[in-house]
Amino acid sequence: MIIGVDVGTSVTKASLLGRDGSALLTRGVRSTLHRPAPGLVEQDLDEVVDSVVQVVRQVAAAATEPVQALAITGQGDGLWLRDEHGRSVGRAISWLDARAAGVLRDWETSGVQRKVHALTGSGMFPGSAGPLLAHLAEHEPERLERAAVAGYCVDAIVQRFTGEITVDASDASMPFLDVPEREYSTEALEACGIAEHRRLLADTTPVGKLFALSDEAAAELGLPSGLPVSAGPFDLPACAFGSGVSDVGDGSLVIGTTLGCQVLRDEVVIDALGEPAGMWLATPIPQRYLRVMPAMVGTANLDWVLATTGSSVEQLETLLAQSRPGAGGVSALSFLSSSGERAPFVDSRARGQFTGLSLETTPADMVRAMCEAVAYAARHNLESAGLSGEVAACGGGARSQAWSQIFADVLGRPLNVPHEEGVGARGAAMTAWDALGEPVDREQWAADRHVVHPDPEAVEFYDRGYHDYLTAIERARPHWAPVEEG
């Protein structure tokens, strides 16, 4: 068995996974998002590492047979600066952070954004490494001088547990990596004005590489010293493979804090003249890449509207049953992140909205309108990523039968939802077993899911609604106000 760890933005989970994909035990602990000022979102690396220690110790203590490896995945993007010993150089900057929004707007105007997209296929957003490094180089250069590595959540934890400085190619893909070659683009670094900080970017981990758990970390985690440690892929690709995506054209929908929309492709195709959004990710599978269109927020939209209407997530099924498709004439745009939107278009000014409100509008209507808006965003992103096959869904939002039905109806496709939760940890464990030379039966893992079938009448209704949604975006974009600098 393998212990799979998924270090999410808000929750860290560890699962004791068998070779059939079943989770014998799962434990989780919430993380803290620090917001020291408007637009700033940070995490404390020591607290995040401690969350991993807590959950791993709990599941390791329950293991009835030897653990073969520790497989780690987690949130991507952001900037986790560390020194050579793995100590954090200032708090980690979350992918939700907006401090580099001004940098990105300048790059949109000057053409840097489009140039980098043409080189690597990455559409940068305020919480990605490029703008964040440029922001720190201008405003906090001493932090970069003190740092030995500018990485991500997964490799920060791996450094603490193994002493190794590394990065998975999936994490490194955004925004400087030539994905097919798995090498950093010097031209992209130069375009962003941060070529002098190339020393902070760790070389990507070779496919199949395993690390060894240090004596100190082993004692903390309750695991054997020298235990193999697998680092990545990060959570979006891990969820894709963990939920059963296997054929070119298949899509994965992660309905979590972010709305992760991705499609498996067999070649990287960069449209230099297209919308500079999304990203191409390297995967552990040769000649397979993920075209990813990750909207900034997914379930966070739902949390906001539930709180605003004085409702709770436990009431979601009831609320959705009380409002019919179309939400009583209410419609919404789900761009509630303070960083704006990053897919399928990039606009740091993007903001959400409700239209069609009246005195007859109910809390249920507002909740349904937002759930429909998120589903429309999912269709917009998946179609932009090249969806042509099946769709697998996971994440907290997929646990709602009513919301899953809305997604299936809006997409006009069956939604395949794994029975097991924690598909990110499952995807990381798959990678670890591959590295150990003991690959699992992927078809067996993929079959462990239930199917939400679309309703033909609802599909027809939502197809019209989707085109209205696209029109609403085009009408709203010119009116989004510039974000004031703080």
Side-chain angles (χ1 to χ4, degrees):
M1 58 183 56
I2 280 178
I3 294 178
V5 181
D6 187 350
V7 188
T9 305
S10 55
V11 179
T12 296
K13 290 184 179 180
S15 296
L16 191 61
L17 295 162
R19 284 189 55 80
D20 63 352
S22 62
L24 307 179
L25 179 69
T26 298
R27 290 291 182 266
V29 61
R30 294 197 68 81
S31 300
T32 304
L33 288 176
H34 300 276
R35 300 179 185 272
L40 305 189
V41 186
E42 301 172 342
Q43 290 193 271
D44 184 281
L45 175 56
D46 290 339
E47 181 188 21
V48 172
V49 170
D50 183 63
S51 74
V52 177
V53 171
Q54 289 182 54
V55 294
V56 170
R57 283 190 67 87
Q58 291 177 47
V59 298
T64 57
E65 58 185 80
V67 174
Q68 294 174 267
L70 179 65
I72 302 174
T73 186
Q75 59 183 292
D77 296 307
L79 196 64
W80 297 62
L81 291 172
R82 293 107 61 192
D83 65 16
E84 63 272 17
H85 303 294
R87 294 185 295 256
S88 186
V89 180
R91 278 184 181 157
I93 303 174
S94 169
W95 59 273
L96 289 165
D97 193 273
R99 74 189 67 192
V103 171
L104 194 66
R105 287 195 298 274
D106 290 343
W107 286 357
E108 290 169 354
T109 302
S110 66
V112 169
Q113 168 86 315
R114 184 163 292 280
K115 182 173 183 179
V116 172
H117 174 260
L119 290 166
T120 69
S122 287
M124 295 180 288
F125 65 101
S128 58
L132 287 172
L133 280 169
H135 175 86
L136 292 182
E138 179 179 356
H139 298 284
E140 298 182 69
E142 70 283 354
R143 284 185 65 179
L144 299 185
E145 291 170 5
R146 289 188 289 122
V149 56
Y152 305 91
C153 177
V154 172
D155 49 89
I157 294 166
V158 170
Q159 186 180 2
R160 286 290 190 92
F161 288 170
T162 70
E164 301 279 356
I165 295 177
T166 184
V167 65
D168 187 77
S170 62
D171 260 322
S173 295
M174 177 72 175
F176 304 122
L177 203 69
D178 180 325
V179 171
E181 298 298 325
R182 294 179 179 245
E183 297 286 345
Y184 293 109
S185 167
T186 300
E187 289 182 81
L189 288 163
E190 290 175 345
C192 294
I194 52 177
E196 64 182 286
H197 300 297
R198 167 64 178 86
R199 68 175 183 84
L200 297 175
L201 305 180
D203 292 334
T204 59
T205 307
V207 174
K209 172 75 173 178
L210 293 169
F211 303 94
L213 197 63
S214 69
D215 293 344
E216 181 181 357
E220 286 187 307
L221 296 166
L223 293 170
S225 178
L227 182 77
V229 177
S230 175
F234 80 91
D235 58 3
L236 284 181
C239 283
F241 296 120
S243 62
V245 170
S246 59
D247 295 331
V248 173
D250 284 353
S252 167
L253 179 59
V254 184
I255 316 169
T257 304
T258 189
L259 184 67
C261 307
Q262 47 195 336
V263 175
L264 191 64
R265 305 280 289 271
D266 56 3
E267 62 177 338
V268 173
V269 180
I270 299 173
D271 180 4
L273 300 178
E275 185 84 46
M279 61 191 80
W280 288 93
L281 298 183
T283 78
I285 304 174
Q287 302 303 313
R288 291 293 181 268
Y289 312 95
L290 282 166
R291 179 57 169 152
V292 185
M293 288 288 182
M296 281 299 296
V297 288
T299 55
N301 290 296
L302 175 63
D303 294 339
W304 179 87
V305 73
L306 287 171
T308 300
T309 58
S311 308
S312 68
V313 70
E314 289 77 19
Q315 297 173 279
L316 180 59
E317 302 299 298
T318 300
L319 288 166
L320 291 177
Q322 291 173 349
S323 180
R324 294 181 56 77
V330 180
S331 60
L333 295 180
S334 58
F335 311 127
L336 297 188
S337 170
S338 59
S339 299
E341 189 50 274
R342 60 176 172 174
F345 59 87
V346 177
D347 194 328
S348 60
R349 305 166 303 163
R351 292 296 179 265
Q353 68 180 41
F354 280 96
T355 57
L357 298 172
S358 73
L359 293 176
E360 284 72 41
T361 297
T362 66
D365 291 331
M366 294 184 67
V367 171
R368 174 171 275 277
M370 183 58 74
C371 287
E372 291 176 346
V374 175
Y376 287 140
R379 176 172 171 179
H380 197 186
N381 280 288
L382 285 169
E383 289 185 353
S384 298
L387 176 67
S388 61
E390 296 185 349
V391 180
C394 62
R399 293 199 293 270
S400 165
Q401 178 65 33
W403 201 7
S404 294
Q405 187 65 57
I406 291 173
F407 278 105
D409 293 341
V410 168
L411 294 173
R413 297 170 184 267
L415 205 64
N416 300 291
V417 183
H419 290 127
E420 288 283 354
E421 297 180 18
V423 295
R426 295 177 89 205
M430 278 184 174
T431 302
W433 264 306
D434 285 345
L436 290 169
E438 304 175 18
V440 299
D441 185 339
R442 279 172 160 75
E443 290 188 6
Q444 178 190 22
W445 281 38
D448 183 28
R449 58 192 186 183
H450 70 274
V451 182
V452 181
H453 294 281
D455 176 81
E457 289 187 11
V459 169
E460 184 177 352
F461 175 85
Y462 281 126
D463 190 59
R464 295 192 300 270
Y466 175 62
H467 293 289
D468 291 340
Y469 166 83
L470 296 179
T471 299
I473 292 176
E474 292 308 308
R475 288 176 176 170
R477 289 188 71 170
H479 301 288
W480 287 330
V483 179
E484 293 185 6
E485 298 292 343

